[in-house]
Amino acid sequence: MLIHVEQARSMSYLAAIRATDRDVAERRRAISAAKVVIGQACRKVGAGGSADPRRDGQTDELHVGHYFKR
């Protein structure tokens, strides 16, 4: 999960840097790529954080499980 978080953070930094580019196509590409990577990372981290390591399925004991279900 840490790798997904770090990759999403790096993509958000890249999108922020590219947001000031004059080239519209490059700016759109960087922001779209960041949206995709961040969305995938959120799903992976949310699913991993709310899963109970002792059994299959979701646990209701942690707050992250409630947020992930929404």
Side-chain angles (χ1 to χ4, degrees):
M1 287 189 288
L2 178 63
I3 292 171
H4 291 296
V5 170
E6 291 298 324
Q7 187 177 18
R9 182 177 293 140
S10 295
M11 285 301 291
S12 68
Y13 291 158
L14 178 66
I17 290 169
R18 301 279 184 195
T20 60
D21 280 355
R22 291 186 185 266
D23 185 15
V24 176
E26 185 67 28
R27 184 172 52 212
R28 285 183 182 168
R29 191 175 311 122
I31 292 172
S32 295
K35 287 170 53 176
V36 169
V37 170
I38 292 169
Q40 290 173 347
C42 288
R43 288 192 184 270
K44 297 268 186 185
V45 172
S50 64
D52 188 356
R54 296 170 297 213
R55 61 189 163 105
D56 292 335
Q58 303 292 319
T59 180
D60 291 329
E61 299 170 359
L62 302 173
H63 293 291
V64 70
H66 298 290
Y67 294 119
F68 181 66
K69 287 179 186 177
R70 291 181 180 197

